[in-house]
């Protein structure tokens, strides 16, 4: 049972992670990607991730905790606490590890090698909780919706991989090196997934709490890491539409895959 979930989580997260490489190799398709184009793609991805966090993790966790705990107020407290733990975890991770947010929009595509790497470290860091969430969803068995979550994470890895490659090319690395680096970074996700599967097998009752924690980590990644980088306040209609379209498409997929 454990082995089967273990293999499933490892294979799916490897596949999802490899999609980062697909995004990376997109650097060969076009000579130049506009900041606007990248931002729109990342905004769609943010919507996809939000829906995946809600419908594959947070909503099932809510239902399961409510079913396990008699008093609904106590259940709500446990649930909210678990989500907060997830948020706090990524926040602490961000505080402890050095990283930089993308500022490519402000000074064109020219980027110092140091800034590029700090930005890439940030993307790499946030892939740990994403992998963790996948591992937890697989470890939760049929309580969570691991396929939807994996699909959501895989989809959002495309623009992320492209962003990694673009920032490396901007820092004067060759396209092939940039694409391969994106592929390599994708494999941080299976690492997180393995930790997630191991963690959740501690105790049956821990499963829905783990799902809520995982949901919290994804919410923080989207709200604090992805949206602030991509959301164009001056063109908020377009940005909002991009987020909504990602959210709606993923909501549909979650429903169909359930
Ligand atoms: Zn991500």
């Amino acid at each position: 049972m454990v082995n089967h979930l273990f293999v499933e989580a490892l294979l799916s997260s490897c596949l999802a992670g490899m999609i980062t490489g697909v995004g990376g190799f997109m650097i060969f398709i076009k000579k130049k990607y506009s900041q606007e184009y990248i931002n729109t793609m990342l905004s769609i991805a943010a919507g996809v991730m939000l829906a995946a966090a809600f419908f594959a993790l947070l909503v099932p966790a809510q239902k399961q905790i409510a079913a396990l705990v008699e008093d609904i107020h106590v259940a709500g407290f446990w649930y909210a606490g678990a989500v907060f733990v997830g948020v706090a975890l990524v926040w602490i991770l961000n505080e402890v590890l050095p990283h930089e947010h993308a500022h490519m929009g402000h000074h064109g595509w020219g980027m110092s090698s140091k800034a590029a790497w700090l930005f890439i470290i940030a993307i790499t860091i946030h892939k740990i909780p994403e992998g963790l969430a996948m591992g937890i969803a697989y470890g939760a068995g049929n309580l969570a919706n691991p396929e939807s979550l994996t699909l959501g994470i895989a989809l959002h890895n495309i623009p992320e991989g492209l962003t990694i490659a673009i920032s490396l090319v901007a820092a004067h690395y060759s396209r092939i090196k940039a694409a391969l680096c994106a592929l390599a970074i994708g494999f941080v996700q299976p690492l997180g997934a393995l930790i997630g599967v191991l963690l959740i097998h501690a105790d049956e009752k821990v499963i829905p709490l783990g799902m809520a924690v995982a949901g919290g980590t994804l919410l923080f990644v989207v709200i604090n890491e992805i949206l602030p980088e991509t959301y164009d306040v001056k063109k908020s209609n377009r940005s909002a539409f991009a987020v909504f379209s990602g959210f709606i498409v993923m909501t549909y997929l979650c429903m169909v895959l359930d």
Side-chain angles (χ1 to χ4, degrees):
M1 180 66 181
V2 175
N3 285 341
H4 151 77
L5 291 173
F6 203 75
V7 172
E8 234 178 30
L10 188 65
L11 284 180
S12 322
S13 58
C14 274
L15 269 178
M18 272 164 65
I19 303 291
T20 314
V22 172
F25 276 92
M26 278 173 69
I27 192 89
F28 287 100
I29 298 175
K30 268 174 83 163
K31 194 133 188 116
K32 203 159 175 80
Y33 286 93
S34 70
Q35 182 76 46
E36 218 174 274
Y37 182 86
I38 303 285
N39 281 355
T40 306
M41 269 181 80
L42 279 170
S43 297
I44 295 171
V48 165
M49 287 283 280
L50 278 181
F54 277 109
F55 301 115
L57 288 168
L58 291 171
V59 174
Q62 227 174 45
K63 286 185 186 150
Q64 191 59 22
I65 293 171
L68 283 171
V69 184
E70 235 173 86
D71 188 335
I72 192 68
H73 295 287
V74 177
F77 182 79
W78 275 105
Y79 170 76
V83 175
F84 179 75
V85 167
V87 170
L89 274 179
V90 193
W91 181 70
I92 292 168
L93 204 64
N94 273 340
E95 288 295 307
V96 173
L97 296 166
H99 75 286
E100 178 154 308
H101 289 249
H103 297 300
M104 289 170 285
H106 305 300
H107 22 134
W109 285 111
M111 209 179 183
S112 78
S113 165
K114 185 175 170 254
W117 279 108
L118 282 173
F119 171 63
I120 285 160
I121 289 171
I123 291 199
T124 310
I125 293 168
H126 97 271
K127 284 191 177 291
I128 300 170
E130 283 169 5
L132 206 71
M134 272 191 276
I136 286 173
Y138 276 97
N142 43 18
L143 284 182
N145 192 340
E147 291 81 16
S148 307
L149 185 68
T150 305
L151 180 68
I153 290 179
L155 285 176
H156 108 285
N157 278 345
I158 299 172
E160 247 171 45
L162 182 58
T163 316
I164 294 170
I166 283 174
S167 43
L168 281 174
V169 168
H172 311 293
Y173 286 86
S174 70
R175 287 183 186 213
I176 184 71
K177 271 189 191 156
L180 287 175
C181 181
L183 179 67
I185 287 171
F187 284 99
V188 171
Q189 271 169 350
L191 213 76
L194 284 184
I195 301 170
V197 176
L198 290 176
L199 282 181
I200 202 130
H201 270 285
D203 181 359
E204 288 285 300
K205 277 183 193 146
V206 173
I207 291 176
L209 285 174
M211 284 157 61
V213 172
T217 62
L218 287 188
L219 284 186
F220 188 84
V221 165
V222 174
I223 294 167
N224 191 56
E225 297 287 314
I226 306 180
L227 282 179
E229 306 296 351
T230 61
Y231 204 94
D232 191 340
V233 193
K234 287 181 212 126
K235 292 177 182 140
S236 67
N237 271 342
R238 206 204 44 219
S239 298
F241 185 74
V243 178
F244 289 144
S245 58
F247 188 86
I248 291 163
V249 169
M250 196 58 210
T251 302
Y252 169 84
L253 288 174
C254 282
M255 209 173 156
V256 175
L257 289 172
D258 199 4

